[in-house]
Amino acid sequence: MTVVIGFEGSANKIGIGIIRDGEVLSNPRRTYITPPGQGFLPSDTARHHRAFILTVLKEALEQAGLKPADIDCVAYTKGPGMGAPLVTVALVARTVAQLWGKPLLGVNHCIGHIEMGRLITKANNPTVLYVSGGNTQVIAYSERRYRIFGETIDIAVGNCLDRFARVIKISNDPSPGYNIEQMAKKGSQYVELPYTVKGMDVSFSGILSYIEETLFSMLVEITERAMAHCGSQEVLIVGGVGCNLRLQEMMGVMCKERGAKLFATDERFCIDNGAMIAQAGWEMFRSGQVTELEDSWITQRYRTDEVEVTWRD
Amino acid sequence: MAAAGEANGGTGKLEFSLDVPFPSSRDATIALRSLSPDKEPRKGGISKLITVSGSTLSVRWSADESRILRVSVSSFLDHLSLVMETMEMFGPPVAV
């Protein structure tokens, strides 16, 4: 039996989750929500996380009904993400790891999303579309690496949607993307916009302020291209933008045409959360990885393919 | 906490030192190992050295400009207070 606690705070969510052998025992989370028209800045976000992190940690333990002695490993987000919030979270993770005498594990945030998606959906070896405010990548596993087949060459699709929401002053509660989706459901006019796919990659900065159809079509195209390249029959969507039902619907149509299966998780797990870091940490820990304190520095840049995936064949 | 700032006439660099007493050497070391891994966000113009002696955590800064020094010290104090709060809430450390 292996119990891992995971700390996540690379963007505006602070989440701490506990996993025991594939079971999510607790996964509390707080979101820093800014007024309409404003995005979240690193120092304010770090201040928010600082204010809540110890409370959320207590909640995670209480809701799981566990004591620190029951934990086997402390996992935290090493990167990528915003510097100041990452540091705030890493400080607490390092401190409790030492207080409790437990090994530490620095986890790649993107891999956290992937491993949580695999756990929840039980997809076998899917092509992964990872879409969030900070990241847009098409990923496939091959020989001990999560290979990046395609990605945004400028901004993440979620960033594009968030900025659009800011321009038209949509509420950021619960998230700008959610509110765009609700408004889009009532829309009936399709406006043709620049569609920018370059081979395996996409570009969003040229079409900032736009409607979902075009953005999501671009993502479906590059996902399909990666699937064709890998001969894959499964698609897994992870990341906050993955909550979007229209994206899932459009991806579903493409999958049906190819006879492939589509997997996605609900908002508990596609939005940043602590348990996903715990899950990736669980996999890494069980395959013998540990992070020494001196190497536990956080990093704003951390590519998904930099990590050796020792837990898969 | 004892602190002193001075301009070093020789190098022209600004220096700041901070000494933080902890209840035990173990506590000071835990704080040290939590606070030292992350690099300064700014690439140049500032450096700091964190050490432990007995049960005291010592930090020594050297910076080119006072503004950069202030930001780094202020940041460090925020981080230090978070580590101390965590130790208070979830300590004492387990027996080794």
Side-chain angles (χ1 to χ4, degrees):
Chain A
M1 201 172 64
T2 305
V3 179
V4 180
I5 187 167
F7 289 69
E8 156 54 33
S10 59
N12 67 331
K13 276 78 71 184
I14 171 75
I16 300 175
I18 302 181
I19 295 232
R20 178 180 60 205
D21 292 342
E23 200 191 336
V24 180
L25 300 181
S26 62
N27 199 12
R29 173 174 70 201
R30 297 280 195 287
T31 306
Y32 172 45
I33 299 179
T34 45
Q38 288 180 37
F40 54 91
L41 297 170
S43 51
D44 299 326
T45 307
R47 209 164 296 134
H48 168 271
H49 292 355
R50 164 88 177 80
F52 287 105
I53 187 168
L54 296 178
T55 305
V56 177
L57 175 51
K58 279 197 146 171
E59 274 172 20
L61 290 164
E62 271 159 31
Q63 287 167 19
L66 293 180
K67 296 179 302 320
D70 304 319
I71 309 259
D72 294 305
C73 173
V74 176
Y76 69 100
T77 305
K78 182 180 178 69
M82 298 171 113
L86 281 170
V87 170
T88 301
V89 176
L91 286 171
V92 175
R94 289 178 201 132
T95 305
V96 297
Q98 294 180 81
L99 289 172
W100 302 341
K102 306 292 177 185
L104 194 61
L105 249 182
V107 173
N108 179 303
H109 179 92
C110 316
I111 294 187
H113 276 292
I114 296 172
E115 292 306 332
M116 190 45 123
R118 287 179 63 225
L119 173 71
I120 297 293
T121 66
K122 310 262 180 277
N124 181 36
N125 186 21
T127 303
V128 178
L129 175 65
Y130 171 32
V131 275
S132 69
N135 294 279
T136 295
Q137 300 172 17
V138 177
I139 295 158
Y141 173 75
S142 172
E143 291 186 21
R144 301 272 159 130
R145 294 274 156 161
Y146 282 116
R147 315 275 167 184
I148 302 175
F149 270 77
E151 58 193 311
T152 176
I153 63 175
D154 39 57
I155 63 176
V157 62
N159 193 350
C160 186
L161 292 166
D162 289 351
R163 290 204 213 176
F164 171 52
R166 257 182 261 159
V167 166
I168 62 176
K169 296 233 179 356
I170 291 178
S171 165
N172 292 321
D173 187 1
S175 77
Y178 177 83
N179 291 325
I180 290 176
E181 184 177 0
Q182 302 321 304
M183 288 176 73
K185 280 182 194 167
K186 300 182 225 149
S188 54
Q189 234 188 336
Y190 173 67
V191 177
E192 178 121 19
L193 302 165
Y195 181 100
T196 327
V197 168
K198 297 176 192 265
M200 293 293 227
D201 298 319
V202 283
S203 162
F204 293 111
S205 63
I207 62 170
L208 196 57
S209 87
Y210 296 114
I211 300 174
E212 302 178 325
E213 296 298 299
T214 308
L215 303 188
F216 295 163
S217 299
M218 288 157 62
L219 294 170
V220 171
E221 179 180 334
I222 63 169
T223 304
E224 186 172 13
R225 195 159 284 139
M227 287 167 77
H229 199 93
C230 301
S232 159
Q233 286 299 94
E234 290 173 313
V235 173
L236 170 64
I237 309 180
V238 298
V241 178
C243 293
N244 189 298
L245 297 173
R246 182 63 188 132
L247 172 61
Q248 291 180 26
E249 194 182 4
M250 291 171 73
M251 193 70 75
V253 167
M254 179 274 285
C255 284
K256 194 154 176 238
E257 284 166 9
R258 299 182 65 88
K261 269 201 88 171
L262 174 64
F263 296 92
T265 62
D266 64 41
E267 60 83 37
R268 285 172 300 164
F269 302 112
C270 57
I271 296 180
D272 292 349
N273 62 91
M276 75 186 193
I277 301 301
Q279 176 57 20
W282 187 91
E283 295 277 22
M284 291 166 76
F285 184 60
R286 301 251 306 198
S287 74
Q289 289 197 43
V290 148
T291 304
E292 297 303 323
L293 274 156
E294 304 76 54
D295 301 326
S296 70
W297 38 267
I298 59 93
T299 172
Q300 291 179 236
R301 296 193 203 296
Y302 193 10
R303 281 183 70 81
T304 312
D305 53 15
E306 268 179 61
V307 176
E308 215 204 321
V309 182
T310 52
W311 60 95
R312 292 183 65 178
D313 309 307
Chain B
M1 296 199 297
E6 52 183 71
N8 184 328
T11 64
K13 283 203 184 290
L14 296 168
E15 290 175 4
F16 190 88
S17 59
L18 195 67
D19 291 312
V20 186
F22 278 84
S24 72
S25 168
R26 176 118 186 263
D27 288 338
T29 304
I30 289 176
L32 168 76
R33 301 186 78 195
S34 291
L35 291 159
S36 46
D38 297 308
K39 306 172 175 64
E40 284 290 314
R42 274 191 90 94
K43 266 123 212 176
I46 183 115
S47 69
K48 71 175 190 284
L49 182 64
I50 316 178
T51 53
V52 161
S53 177
S55 59
T56 301
L57 180 84
S58 297
V59 194
R60 298 286 179 273
W61 279 267
S62 177
D64 292 334
E65 291 169 29
S66 60
R67 182 182 45 92
I68 303 174
L69 180 59
R70 278 200 304 274
V71 167
S72 181
V73 172
S74 175
S75 217
F76 180 82
L77 290 172
D78 281 340
H79 295 163
L80 174 65
S81 93
L82 176 58
V83 168
M84 290 170 85
E85 229 182 279
T86 307
M87 291 174 74
E88 187 135 351
M89 200 178 276
F90 293 95
V94 294
V96 172

